[in-house]
Amino acid sequence: MAKKVFVTHQLPGKRIHELSRHCEMNVWMGPGLLPSAALRTQLTGCHGLVCLLTDRIDKALLDQLPELEFVSSMSVGVDHIDVQALSERGIPVGNTPGVLVDTTADTAFALLLAAARRVAEADRFVRDGQWTAANAWAPEFFTGKDVTGATLGIVGLGEIGQAVARRAAGFGMRVLAWSRTAREVPGVEMLALDELLQRSDFVSVHVALAPQTRNLLDAARIARMKPGAVLVNTARGGIVDEQALAEALAGGRLSAAGVDVFEREPVAADNPLLRLPNVVVTPHIGSATTLTRARMADIAAANAIAALAGQAMPCCVNPQVYG
Ligand code: NAP
């Protein structure tokens, strides 16, 4: 009898059709994202799950799914999944690393440039009809911060962090980095986190969200940042203390921020960052290009196909389950 696999969203790419030939596949057709209560109902009796980062897979859910044999997420981050609980049950968890590295690094750089040069603020100014003869080109008009020649501090020198470092080299930036694991990357100076924060004109966050990185940039660390610095976060909400960041921006200690990810998503309307003109915000679109999303979906499908065939997933975050 064919195994049952539930897919929590319609996916792009070609391999998802191939997956349907290997199992009895049920896909959530919307509208919108799958509500968490529906996830539990839909998953009952399923052997496999193909999910998005918006689906929370926790212990309580797993306890109700004795048949579950694998989870394949269309994301590189797996902080929405209790990987430890799955590992304890011997269940492999797949993710989609590699293919979204350049796309996400581009987003980080887009936010860095937009924050430095006040692009979103200037766009609103023009559209709001404020660009008048009385309020136009002048020596101080919409002046921002130079990127070329500035110092960039990368927090988390994984794949995306290194791709951001390559972009920074093209802008003639001096690149500093802090990472849990020391690495030798040409053109990058590794430093302790506090020293990086003190020396960087721009700080870009690229660590995974884990218990050890939750609130990594808390109020005390934000207070250590160089006066007038710019903070960019395309990693995960929860790594940067949003309240402390908002206070540093409102008080003028930091000059701007670019934020793609929030502690709560979709972001709450009363999030203090949304009230600040010097914050550029995007709705978690780091990997959002058509090609990259198709590539991610193809890897998620390939992980599921391998699991159904009793093979190791090509991209697995807990390979220890294979012994
Ligand atoms: P990666 O190559 O696996 O790098 C992960 C980074 O996180 C490394 O620097 C790693 O440190 C660090 N890290 C992981 N666990 C840690 C821990 N417990 N304590 C301290 N550091 C830890 O992943 P990547 O492809 O660069 O992606 C990085 C993150 O970006 C993802 O986890 C995801 O959350 C986020 N992301 C966001 C978007 C978006 O749409 N905004 C898109 C893609 C990715 P070491 O390797 O030095 O040990």
Side-chain angles (χ1 to χ4, degrees), residues 58-89:
D58 56 20
K59 235 179 185 150
L61 176 68
L62 292 175
D63 286 343
Q64 297 176 40
L65 306 169
E67 288 94 352
L68 194 68
E69 293 174 7
F70 69 86
V71 172
S72 170
S73 181
M74 187 185 138
S75 62
V76 64
V78 288
D79 47 282
H80 54 298
I81 300 174
D82 189 335
V83 177
Q84 195 183 329
L86 282 150
S87 302
E88 283 162 9
R89 291 163 169 78

PDB file of all heavy atoms in Angstrom, residues 58-89:
ATOM      1  N   ASP A  58       5.985  20.572  16.655  1.00  0.00           N
ATOM      2  CA  ASP A  58       6.498  20.444  18.019  1.00  0.00           C
ATOM      3  C   ASP A  58       6.166  19.074  18.602  1.00  0.00           C
ATOM      4  O   ASP A  58       5.514  18.246  17.968  1.00  0.00           O
ATOM      5  CB  ASP A  58       5.973  21.586  18.908  1.00  0.00           C
ATOM      6  CG  ASP A  58       4.449  21.640  18.910  1.00  0.00           C
ATOM      7  OD1 ASP A  58       3.814  20.623  18.576  1.00  0.00           O
ATOM      8  OD2 ASP A  58       3.895  22.701  19.243  1.00  0.00           O
ATOM      9  N   LYS A  59       6.629  18.884  19.840  1.00  0.00           N
ATOM     10  CA  LYS A  59       6.494  17.586  20.516  1.00  0.00           C
ATOM     11  C   LYS A  59       5.029  17.167  20.641  1.00  0.00           C
ATOM     12  O   LYS A  59       4.670  16.017  20.402  1.00  0.00           O
ATOM     13  CB  LYS A  59       7.100  17.707  21.918  1.00  0.00           C
ATOM     14  CG  LYS A  59       8.153  16.686  22.194  1.00  0.00           C
ATOM     15  CD  LYS A  59       8.698  16.913  23.577  1.00  0.00           C
ATOM     16  CE  LYS A  59       9.838  15.953  23.798  1.00  0.00           C
ATOM     17  NZ  LYS A  59      10.837  16.469  24.683  1.00  0.00           N
ATOM     18  N   ALA A  60       4.177  18.137  21.025  1.00  0.00           N
ATOM     19  CA  ALA A  60       2.757  17.830  21.237  1.00  0.00           C
ATOM     20  C   ALA A  60       2.146  17.284  19.952  1.00  0.00           C
ATOM     21  O   ALA A  60       1.363  16.330  19.981  1.00  0.00           O
ATOM     22  CB  ALA A  60       2.022  19.086  21.695  1.00  0.00           C
ATOM     23  N   LEU A  61       2.534  17.861  18.828  1.00  0.00           N
ATOM     24  CA  LEU A  61       2.011  17.387  17.538  1.00  0.00           C
ATOM     25  C   LEU A  61       2.557  15.985  17.248  1.00  0.00           C
ATOM     26  O   LEU A  61       1.813  15.076  16.865  1.00  0.00           O
ATOM     27  CB  LEU A  61       2.416  18.371  16.420  1.00  0.00           C
ATOM     28  CG  LEU A  61       2.028  17.976  14.992  1.00  0.00           C
ATOM     29  CD1 LEU A  61       0.521  18.011  14.803  1.00  0.00           C
ATOM     30  CD2 LEU A  61       2.687  18.912  13.971  1.00  0.00           C
ATOM     31  N   LEU A  62       3.864  15.813  17.465  1.00  0.00           N
ATOM     32  CA  LEU A  62       4.490  14.520  17.162  1.00  0.00           C
ATOM     33  C   LEU A  62       3.871  13.380  17.965  1.00  0.00           C
ATOM     34  O   LEU A  62       3.720  12.268  17.455  1.00  0.00           O
ATOM     35  CB  LEU A  62       5.996  14.586  17.458  1.00  0.00           C
ATOM     36  CG  LEU A  62       6.809  15.486  16.533  1.00  0.00           C
ATOM     37  CD1 LEU A  62       8.241  15.563  17.009  1.00  0.00           C
ATOM     38  CD2 LEU A  62       6.737  14.979  15.106  1.00  0.00           C
ATOM     39  N   ASP A  63       3.508  13.691  19.223  1.00  0.00           N
ATOM     40  CA  ASP A  63       2.912  12.659  20.084  1.00  0.00           C
ATOM     41  C   ASP A  63       1.644  12.081  19.470  1.00  0.00           C
ATOM     42  O   ASP A  63       1.262  10.955  19.786  1.00  0.00           O
ATOM     43  CB  ASP A  63       2.598  13.244  21.471  1.00  0.00           C
ATOM     44  CG  ASP A  63       3.878  13.430  22.279  1.00  0.00           C
ATOM     45  OD1 ASP A  63       4.896  12.814  21.900  1.00  0.00           O
ATOM     46  OD2 ASP A  63       3.857  14.188  23.265  1.00  0.00           O
ATOM     47  N   GLN A  64       1.022  12.870  18.604  1.00  0.00           N
ATOM     48  CA  GLN A  64      -0.235  12.397  17.996  1.00  0.00           C
ATOM     49  C   GLN A  64      -0.021  11.751  16.629  1.00  0.00           C
ATOM     50  O   GLN A  64      -0.986  11.455  15.927  1.00  0.00           O
ATOM     51  CB  GLN A  64      -1.190  13.576  17.862  1.00  0.00           C
ATOM     52  CG  GLN A  64      -1.548  14.147  19.218  1.00  0.00           C
ATOM     53  CD  GLN A  64      -2.412  15.371  19.101  1.00  0.00           C
ATOM     54  OE1 GLN A  64      -3.296  15.430  18.283  1.00  0.00           O
ATOM     55  NE2 GLN A  64      -2.127  16.354  19.930  1.00  0.00           N
ATOM     56  N   LEU A  65       1.253  11.608  16.245  1.00  0.00           N
ATOM     57  CA  LEU A  65       1.537  11.108  14.900  1.00  0.00           C
ATOM     58  C   LEU A  65       2.465   9.891  14.944  1.00  0.00           C
ATOM     59  O   LEU A  65       3.619   9.959  14.503  1.00  0.00           O
ATOM     60  CB  LEU A  65       2.194  12.213  14.050  1.00  0.00           C
ATOM     61  CG  LEU A  65       1.431  13.538  13.978  1.00  0.00           C
ATOM     62  CD1 LEU A  65       2.291  14.609  13.341  1.00  0.00           C
ATOM     63  CD2 LEU A  65       0.130  13.359  13.205  1.00  0.00           C
ATOM     64  N   PRO A  66       1.988   8.769  15.463  1.00  0.00           N
ATOM     65  CA  PRO A  66       2.879   7.609  15.621  1.00  0.00           C
ATOM     66  C   PRO A  66       3.374   7.044  14.290  1.00  0.00           C
ATOM     67  O   PRO A  66       4.414   6.395  14.248  1.00  0.00           O
ATOM     68  CB  PRO A  66       1.990   6.595  16.363  1.00  0.00           C
ATOM     69  CG  PRO A  66       0.579   7.041  16.131  1.00  0.00           C
ATOM     70  CD  PRO A  66       0.621   8.517  15.961  1.00  0.00           C
ATOM     71  N   GLU A  67       2.648   7.307  13.200  1.00  0.00           N
ATOM     72  CA  GLU A  67       3.068   6.737  11.907  1.00  0.00           C
ATOM     73  C   GLU A  67       4.140   7.564  11.208  1.00  0.00           C
ATOM     74  O   GLU A  67       4.719   7.120  10.213  1.00  0.00           O
ATOM     75  CB  GLU A  67       1.865   6.625  10.942  1.00  0.00           C
ATOM     76  CG  GLU A  67       0.874   5.535  11.289  1.00  0.00           C
ATOM     77  CD  GLU A  67      -0.272   6.089  12.134  1.00  0.00           C
ATOM     78  OE1 GLU A  67      -0.169   7.262  12.550  1.00  0.00           O
ATOM     79  OE2 GLU A  67      -1.220   5.359  12.384  1.00  0.00           O
ATOM     80  N   LEU A  68       4.389   8.772  11.694  1.00  0.00           N
ATOM     81  CA  LEU A  68       5.265   9.683  10.947  1.00  0.00           C
ATOM     82  C   LEU A  68       6.685   9.129  10.804  1.00  0.00           C
ATOM     83  O   LEU A  68       7.304   8.722  11.779  1.00  0.00           O
ATOM     84  CB  LEU A  68       5.316  11.054  11.642  1.00  0.00           C
ATOM     85  CG  LEU A  68       5.912  12.186  10.798  1.00  0.00           C
ATOM     86  CD1 LEU A  68       4.992  12.541   9.620  1.00  0.00           C
ATOM     87  CD2 LEU A  68       6.155  13.416  11.647  1.00  0.00           C
ATOM     88  N   GLU A  69       7.200   9.104   9.564  1.00  0.00           N
ATOM     89  CA  GLU A  69       8.530   8.534   9.292  1.00  0.00           C
ATOM     90  C   GLU A  69       9.540   9.572   8.821  1.00  0.00           C
ATOM     91  O   GLU A  69      10.739   9.344   8.883  1.00  0.00           O
ATOM     92  CB  GLU A  69       8.404   7.436   8.224  1.00  0.00           C
ATOM     93  CG  GLU A  69       7.633   6.227   8.719  1.00  0.00           C
ATOM     94  CD  GLU A  69       7.376   5.199   7.621  1.00  0.00           C
ATOM     95  OE1 GLU A  69       7.907   5.360   6.502  1.00  0.00           O
ATOM     96  OE2 GLU A  69       6.626   4.245   7.891  1.00  0.00           O
ATOM     97  N   PHE A  70       9.064  10.703   8.270  1.00  0.00           N
ATOM     98  CA  PHE A  70      10.018  11.740   7.859  1.00  0.00           C
ATOM     99  C   PHE A  70       9.341  13.103   7.770  1.00  0.00           C
ATOM    100  O   PHE A  70       8.119  13.196   7.603  1.00  0.00           O
ATOM    101  CB  PHE A  70      10.681  11.401   6.516  1.00  0.00           C
ATOM    102  CG  PHE A  70       9.757  11.458   5.326  1.00  0.00           C
ATOM    103  CD1 PHE A  70       9.513  12.639   4.644  1.00  0.00           C
ATOM    104  CD2 PHE A  70       9.132  10.299   4.881  1.00  0.00           C
ATOM    105  CE1 PHE A  70       8.667  12.680   3.551  1.00  0.00           C
ATOM    106  CE2 PHE A  70       8.277  10.329   3.784  1.00  0.00           C
ATOM    107  CZ  PHE A  70       8.048  11.534   3.117  1.00  0.00           C
ATOM    108  N   VAL A  71      10.185  14.152   7.903  1.00  0.00           N
ATOM    109  CA  VAL A  71       9.727  15.534   7.728  1.00  0.00           C
ATOM    110  C   VAL A  71      10.697  16.197   6.766  1.00  0.00           C
ATOM    111  O   VAL A  71      11.917  16.130   6.950  1.00  0.00           O
ATOM    112  CB  VAL A  71       9.715  16.301   9.079  1.00  0.00           C
ATOM    113  CG1 VAL A  71       9.422  17.774   8.856  1.00  0.00           C
ATOM    114  CG2 VAL A  71       8.694  15.689  10.034  1.00  0.00           C
ATOM    115  N   SER A  72      10.167  16.822   5.733  1.00  0.00           N
ATOM    116  CA  SER A  72      11.008  17.531   4.771  1.00  0.00           C
ATOM    117  C   SER A  72      10.516  18.968   4.705  1.00  0.00           C
ATOM    118  O   SER A  72       9.374  19.221   4.316  1.00  0.00           O
ATOM    119  CB  SER A  72      10.890  16.850   3.395  1.00  0.00           C
ATOM    120  OG  SER A  72      11.508  17.657   2.416  1.00  0.00           O
ATOM    121  N   SER A  73      11.379  19.911   5.098  1.00  0.00           N
ATOM    122  CA  SER A  73      10.966  21.321   5.123  1.00  0.00           C
ATOM    123  C   SER A  73      11.572  22.077   3.951  1.00  0.00           C
ATOM    124  O   SER A  73      12.753  21.929   3.641  1.00  0.00           O
ATOM    125  CB  SER A  73      11.416  21.967   6.434  1.00  0.00           C
ATOM    126  OG  SER A  73      10.991  23.310   6.469  1.00  0.00           O
ATOM    127  N   MET A  74      10.756  22.907   3.322  1.00  0.00           N
ATOM    128  CA  MET A  74      11.256  23.745   2.219  1.00  0.00           C
ATOM    129  C   MET A  74      11.846  25.027   2.815  1.00  0.00           C
ATOM    130  O   MET A  74      11.305  26.111   2.684  1.00  0.00           O
ATOM    131  CB  MET A  74      10.105  24.076   1.257  1.00  0.00           C
ATOM    132  CG  MET A  74      10.556  24.802   0.013  1.00  0.00           C
ATOM    133  SD  MET A  74       9.159  25.295  -1.023  1.00  0.00           S
ATOM    134  CE  MET A  74       9.669  26.932  -1.496  1.00  0.00           C
ATOM    135  N   SER A  75      12.965  24.863   3.500  1.00  0.00           N
ATOM    136  CA  SER A  75      13.651  25.993   4.144  1.00  0.00           C
ATOM    137  C   SER A  75      15.041  25.509   4.534  1.00  0.00           C
ATOM    138  O   SER A  75      15.262  24.302   4.649  1.00  0.00           O
ATOM    139  CB  SER A  75      12.904  26.420   5.418  1.00  0.00           C
ATOM    140  OG  SER A  75      12.891  25.350   6.359  1.00  0.00           O
ATOM    141  N   VAL A  76      15.961  26.463   4.737  1.00  0.00           N
ATOM    142  CA  VAL A  76      17.258  26.042   5.286  1.00  0.00           C
ATOM    143  C   VAL A  76      17.193  26.070   6.813  1.00  0.00           C
ATOM    144  O   VAL A  76      17.686  25.171   7.482  1.00  0.00           O
ATOM    145  CB  VAL A  76      18.437  26.880   4.719  1.00  0.00           C
ATOM    146  CG1 VAL A  76      18.367  28.338   5.108  1.00  0.00           C
ATOM    147  CG2 VAL A  76      19.762  26.299   5.164  1.00  0.00           C
ATOM    148  N   GLY A  77      16.516  27.085   7.384  1.00  0.00           N
ATOM    149  CA  GLY A  77      16.344  27.153   8.835  1.00  0.00           C
ATOM    150  C   GLY A  77      15.320  26.115   9.278  1.00  0.00           C
ATOM    151  O   GLY A  77      14.326  25.880   8.583  1.00  0.00           O
ATOM    152  N   VAL A  78      15.564  25.494  10.413  1.00  0.00           N
ATOM    153  CA  VAL A  78      14.622  24.478  10.907  1.00  0.00           C
ATOM    154  C   VAL A  78      14.175  24.797  12.341  1.00  0.00           C
ATOM    155  O   VAL A  78      13.799  23.905  13.093  1.00  0.00           O
ATOM    156  CB  VAL A  78      15.225  23.050  10.817  1.00  0.00           C
ATOM    157  CG1 VAL A  78      15.303  22.580   9.381  1.00  0.00           C
ATOM    158  CG2 VAL A  78      16.583  22.983  11.488  1.00  0.00           C
ATOM    159  N   ASP A  79      14.198  26.091  12.680  1.00  0.00           N
ATOM    160  CA  ASP A  79      13.822  26.482  14.042  1.00  0.00           C
ATOM    161  C   ASP A  79      12.329  26.313  14.303  1.00  0.00           C
ATOM    162  O   ASP A  79      11.885  26.386  15.441  1.00  0.00           O
ATOM    163  CB  ASP A  79      14.257  27.932  14.309  1.00  0.00           C
ATOM    164  CG  ASP A  79      13.869  28.860  13.188  1.00  0.00           C
ATOM    165  OD1 ASP A  79      14.567  28.863  12.148  1.00  0.00           O
ATOM    166  OD2 ASP A  79      12.874  29.565  13.308  1.00  0.00           O
ATOM    167  N   HIS A  80      11.533  26.057  13.256  1.00  0.00           N
ATOM    168  CA  HIS A  80      10.089  25.810  13.436  1.00  0.00           C
ATOM    169  C   HIS A  80       9.826  24.336  13.746  1.00  0.00           C
ATOM    170  O   HIS A  80       8.679  23.932  13.917  1.00  0.00           O
ATOM    171  CB  HIS A  80       9.324  26.219  12.171  1.00  0.00           C
ATOM    172  CG  HIS A  80       9.832  25.570  10.909  1.00  0.00           C
ATOM    173  ND1 HIS A  80      11.105  25.763  10.433  1.00  0.00           N
ATOM    174  CD2 HIS A  80       9.249  24.715  10.042  1.00  0.00           C
ATOM    175  CE1 HIS A  80      11.271  25.056   9.327  1.00  0.00           C
ATOM    176  NE2 HIS A  80      10.162  24.415   9.066  1.00  0.00           N
ATOM    177  N   ILE A  81      10.891  23.534  13.771  1.00  0.00           N
ATOM    178  CA  ILE A  81      10.747  22.088  13.973  1.00  0.00           C
ATOM    179  C   ILE A  81      11.515  21.685  15.227  1.00  0.00           C
ATOM    180  O   ILE A  81      12.667  22.103  15.413  1.00  0.00           O
ATOM    181  CB  ILE A  81      11.333  21.326  12.753  1.00  0.00           C
ATOM    182  CG1 ILE A  81      10.577  21.724  11.474  1.00  0.00           C
ATOM    183  CG2 ILE A  81      11.274  19.825  12.964  1.00  0.00           C
ATOM    184  CD1 ILE A  81      11.174  21.148  10.204  1.00  0.00           C
ATOM    185  N   ASP A  82      10.907  20.865  16.062  1.00  0.00           N
ATOM    186  CA  ASP A  82      11.628  20.336  17.225  1.00  0.00           C
ATOM    187  C   ASP A  82      12.488  19.163  16.734  1.00  0.00           C
ATOM    188  O   ASP A  82      12.082  18.002  16.805  1.00  0.00           O
ATOM    189  CB  ASP A  82      10.636  19.904  18.304  1.00  0.00           C
ATOM    190  CG  ASP A  82      11.355  19.553  19.610  1.00  0.00           C
ATOM    191  OD1 ASP A  82      12.548  19.198  19.552  1.00  0.00           O
ATOM    192  OD2 ASP A  82      10.719  19.624  20.672  1.00  0.00           O
ATOM    193  N   VAL A  83      13.675  19.506  16.230  1.00  0.00           N
ATOM    194  CA  VAL A  83      14.540  18.492  15.610  1.00  0.00           C
ATOM    195  C   VAL A  83      14.968  17.446  16.640  1.00  0.00           C
ATOM    196  O   VAL A  83      15.047  16.247  16.336  1.00  0.00           O
ATOM    197  CB  VAL A  83      15.777  19.155  14.951  1.00  0.00           C
ATOM    198  CG1 VAL A  83      16.713  18.106  14.380  1.00  0.00           C
ATOM    199  CG2 VAL A  83      15.348  20.119  13.855  1.00  0.00           C
ATOM    200  N   GLN A  84      15.200  17.898  17.863  1.00  0.00           N
ATOM    201  CA  GLN A  84      15.632  16.947  18.902  1.00  0.00           C
ATOM    202  C   GLN A  84      14.550  15.884  19.143  1.00  0.00           C
ATOM    203  O   GLN A  84      14.845  14.689  19.202  1.00  0.00           O
ATOM    204  CB  GLN A  84      15.934  17.691  20.190  1.00  0.00           C
ATOM    205  CG  GLN A  84      16.707  16.831  21.166  1.00  0.00           C
ATOM    206  CD  GLN A  84      16.949  17.548  22.480  1.00  0.00           C
ATOM    207  OE1 GLN A  84      17.070  18.770  22.505  1.00  0.00           O
ATOM    208  NE2 GLN A  84      17.013  16.801  23.553  1.00  0.00           N
ATOM    209  N   ALA A  85      13.299  16.338  19.233  1.00  0.00           N
ATOM    210  CA  ALA A  85      12.200  15.385  19.473  1.00  0.00           C
ATOM    211  C   ALA A  85      12.085  14.402  18.315  1.00  0.00           C
ATOM    212  O   ALA A  85      11.847  13.206  18.516  1.00  0.00           O
ATOM    213  CB  ALA A  85      10.896  16.142  19.668  1.00  0.00           C
ATOM    214  N   LEU A  86      12.279  14.884  17.103  1.00  0.00           N
ATOM    215  CA  LEU A  86      12.218  13.990  15.937  1.00  0.00           C
ATOM    216  C   LEU A  86      13.394  13.025  15.939  1.00  0.00           C
ATOM    217  O   LEU A  86      13.245  11.838  15.646  1.00  0.00           O
ATOM    218  CB  LEU A  86      12.181  14.814  14.647  1.00  0.00           C
ATOM    219  CG  LEU A  86      10.793  15.409  14.355  1.00  0.00           C
ATOM    220  CD1 LEU A  86      10.892  16.708  13.597  1.00  0.00           C
ATOM    221  CD2 LEU A  86       9.949  14.413  13.581  1.00  0.00           C
ATOM    222  N   SER A  87      14.579  13.528  16.292  1.00  0.00           N
ATOM    223  CA  SER A  87      15.772  12.669  16.331  1.00  0.00           C
ATOM    224  C   SER A  87      15.585  11.548  17.353  1.00  0.00           C
ATOM    225  O   SER A  87      15.947  10.394  17.100  1.00  0.00           O
ATOM    226  CB  SER A  87      17.014  13.492  16.691  1.00  0.00           C
ATOM    227  OG  SER A  87      17.187  14.518  15.747  1.00  0.00           O
ATOM    228  N   GLU A  88      15.004  11.913  18.504  1.00  0.00           N
ATOM    229  CA  GLU A  88      14.764  10.887  19.539  1.00  0.00           C
ATOM    230  C   GLU A  88      13.843   9.779  19.036  1.00  0.00           C
ATOM    231  O   GLU A  88      13.918   8.649  19.475  1.00  0.00           O
ATOM    232  CB  GLU A  88      14.158  11.537  20.789  1.00  0.00           C
ATOM    233  CG  GLU A  88      15.193  12.279  21.622  1.00  0.00           C
ATOM    234  CD  GLU A  88      14.565  13.266  22.600  1.00  0.00           C
ATOM    235  OE1 GLU A  88      13.331  13.255  22.757  1.00  0.00           O
ATOM    236  OE2 GLU A  88      15.337  14.055  23.195  1.00  0.00           O
ATOM    237  N   ARG A  89      12.981  10.120  18.086  1.00  0.00           N
ATOM    238  CA  ARG A  89      12.073   9.119  17.503  1.00  0.00           C
ATOM    239  C   ARG A  89      12.683   8.473  16.260  1.00  0.00           C
ATOM    240  O   ARG A  89      12.020   7.697  15.576  1.00  0.00           O
ATOM    241  CB  ARG A  89      10.750   9.783  17.134  1.00  0.00           C
ATOM    242  CG  ARG A  89       9.920  10.220  18.335  1.00  0.00           C
ATOM    243  CD  ARG A  89       8.856  11.230  17.886  1.00  0.00           C
ATOM    244  NE  ARG A  89       7.850  11.519  18.894  1.00  0.00           N
ATOM    245  CZ  ARG A  89       8.028  12.327  19.947  1.00  0.00           C
ATOM    246  NH1 ARG A  89       9.195  12.907  20.135  1.00  0.00           N
ATOM    247  NH2 ARG A  89       7.046  12.541  20.803  1.00  0.00           N
TER     248      ARG A  89
END
